[in-house]
Amino acid sequence: MQRSVFEYLHQLLPDQGSVHVLLESFPRDAVIQATTWFILIYFILLNVGYLTLNLLSLIALHRRSQERVLEELPQVYSGLELPITVIVPAFNEGSNIASSIRSMLQLSYAEFEIIVVNDGSTDNTLEVLKKEFVLVPFNKSYSCPIQTKPVQSFLQSASHPNLRVIDKANGGKADSLNAGINAARYPLFCGVDADSILQRDSLHRVVRPFLEDVTVIATGGTVRVANGCEITGGFLTKVGLPTNPWALFQVVEYLRAFLFGRMGWSVINGVLIVSGAFGVFRKGPVVEAGGYRANTIGEDMELVVRLHRLMRKRRQAYRIVFVPEPICWTEAPEDYRTLRNQRIRWQRGLAESLTSNWSLMFSLRGGVAGWLAFPFMLLFELLGPLIELSGYIFMAIAFAAGWISWQAFGVFLFVAIGLGILLSVSGLMLEEMAFHIYPKWRHLAWLALFVLLENFGYRQLNSYWRLVGLYRWARQKEATWGTMKRKGAWQGDT
Amino acid sequence: MSAFSILSDPILLAAFWSGVVAVLLTLLLAIQIMVMRSALSRRRRWERATIGKWMPVMAAAIAGEEPSVVPTLLRRERLHFLRLWIHLQASVRGEAGESLNQIAFDVKVAEVARSYLQRRNRALQLLGILGVGYLRDRSAWSILVGFMYSTDSTKSIQSLWAMMNIDPDTAVVDAVRFGIERDDWALPMVVEILGTQPIACQLLFADVLPTITEERLPRAFALAEALRIALPDEILLPLLRREQPEVVLGALRLVTTPVLAPAVRACAKHADWRVRVQTARALSRIATRSDLPLLIVLLEDASWWVRYRAAQAIVGMPFVRLDLPEQIDAITTDRYGREMLQLVIAEHSDLRHLRQAS
């Protein structure tokens, strides 16, 4: 008869036996049973959570798609659109900064300004900007509600009145964004990566939630993979799929992460991350929160989690909304090393964001953010790789050692991989339902293939990289951004 | 067989069937994706064919040419015809719109639009609302009123738009009332709708403002400002004396006449910095020479934004010259006030240089 762990402990307590006795009476079956229960329940909870988010996204996307007839109408500016400051941090972007800024200047929006923050570049970034945009010194004394590294000069473009450049000492992306926020003239600001490719109506779309609801303090847009697409004049002209398998896996991943991950959380005001590639914030709450934290690698997520914490603490009505339309495109890594470094960095950023805002979790006024989103992120995103990989390893060892039957091992793999495929296919379905931006049948076929393949190695590899990120965060090893190998042909003078 | 598998058969069974359900759902989704893609391909084909057939007819109508033959509208073309027609209606004005309406009447698309209002499909309802709105179809009035009262923000505000097209004199009363009450209606859309009836709005706002609750006043002020409504002084004056800062600063934004200057000046010492900012802005519109000392006080305010707006007001005064440092000294010796004046002066001169340079 199998004994439970508790029965065993009760019998052992009065008897301080030797290690040998301990080993002989080790409740192996109870431990295996408990571990297997835990792994199965974890996987089921994880996937039920994702499926719930999926359902919420489905309802929200369906509702949005019904309003497409209104979006197809010619957009007329009423003059009441909130003006936006677009902040572009730039560090050693000499080869592509001119083309990026030129395309941003062509964005279709009623009123916006662009502030490029040259973050102590060591290449010719500033010289390129001065030459291409006829920069002249601009007398500017401005309030500095957020501390930053020293600003050396303000420059104004004589050819484009809505373009300004801040030249400052190197301080990192967060510090650059803060300098841009300090100099921003408008009530909304938008942080954009220099290599992000926006659509002409991106600002118009991402600002819409602010007009519909005065409590909205931030919106994030969907980021899509630009690899394989045609870019002309800095704008996306034709959607395509990458041929590189790493990039293809990421297309599927981004669909899952954005279309039902963030969309689902947005429905219940539980969005904990607005992508640093493209997100819009109300300046006031961000300044009150202290701006971006310069000593963190995941400054985009950390700010959003902090905003939740502070707004909840103050009992102020607010919403952070996700805009599902594809409005920002970015080049995804196409080689193993760059992708690995990126995922390690992201996981570190996640850990830093959560741990620096612990008080949000289960706080009395935490709401959805504190009682659902934060614990979900902690358990399934931060610790997920540890539990997931441990589960795979444990089950493999248990099977090899004969502790579990081949049926048990097979069922475990069946459930884990089957649910993973289901989630990826549902991301693909949401894309087809709401946007169908990949027009050809062969695109769909390739995506379907990679949805399957993703679960046979890529996801597990990703989990390993994230585990490395978690380990490095725990060890407090020095984190760096590293450099990404750029391949995009549009990143040059146009 | 290991002990685990014997004891855990229920667990294994539950897990196995979870996997089976996942696989079945995956297959269903895969089939759904293919069905959606096929339907989309088909829809796009019909859409291209419909546009190819009807675009020349509509373009001719917009250009004022009488089409020789108006084709028959097939059943499967109705949806795409209506979408194309609505898109063109939104792009044109005046006689071109009337010509498009004539085409719509000729092919009896008004009945199609009305029938869409009765459908449960929300997308078709929205199309129907736009259709009857452009057609000014009075027979759809009662349905539109029902939609306008619904909690669906998009449907309700689009219905109001349609009603304002059909009978603006009747609809404007509800438009002003709901425009102020409904926070879920985007302000630009409300302004676009109300902007078609400026005189009626002016009169209605003057009637409504004294009666609405304080929590609605900020939105009412925002609408009034956006619509450039000049409210009577006797309505603004009591609002400038209210306790709530949001009410006062909203009223300050609407001040355009010197008659209210005494009440505006009284706001210069308000505890809320936002009110002082709006006071400085209001003074920039109505100030006289005698207000300069008050603006100098605001120039030396603790809040950066109050100082900034006060400096802008002072620099904008035609009787104030600040070309020389002594002239700035004569205004203020406060360090922060001087810096702010210098900043605003530099901004003005930089703008001039920039205009010259470009």
Side-chain angles (χ1 to χ4, degrees), chain B residues 218-236:
Chain B
R219 184 169 167 96
F221 287 144
L223 275 172
E225 187 184 2
L227 291 164
R228 294 194 168 86
I229 288 175
L231 287 170
D233 298 334
E234 54 270 22
I235 289 181
L236 280 179

Side-chain angles (χ1 to χ4, degrees), chain A residues 66-67 72 415 432 438-439, chain B residues 15 37 83 87 122 154 191:
Chain A
Q66 291 171 332
E67 296 175 13
E72 288 167 356
V415 171
E432 187 62 24
Y438 296 104
Chain B
R37 181 54 69 102
R83 286 172 67 154
H87 183 90
R122 190 165 166 267
T154 308
V191 169

Side-chain angles (χ1 to χ4, degrees), chain A residues 55 96-97 123 138 204 274 435 450 480:
Chain A
L55 190 63
N96 58 287
I97 190 69
D123 70 351
F138 181 74
H204 187 77
V274 166
F435 307 112
F450 273 77
T480 58

Side-chain angles (χ1 to χ4, degrees), chain B residues 47-59:
Chain B
E47 189 179 15
R48 279 195 297 271
T50 305
I51 291 172
K53 176 179 169 184
W54 288 100
M55 189 68 196
V57 176
M58 295 194 200

Side-chain angles (χ1 to χ4, degrees), chain A residues 21 102 126 133 161 327 386 393 424 431 455:
Chain A
V21 169
R102 258 190 239 114
L126 188 59
F133 300 105
I327 50 179
L386 177 65
I393 293 167
S424 298
E431 145 66 24
N455 291 278

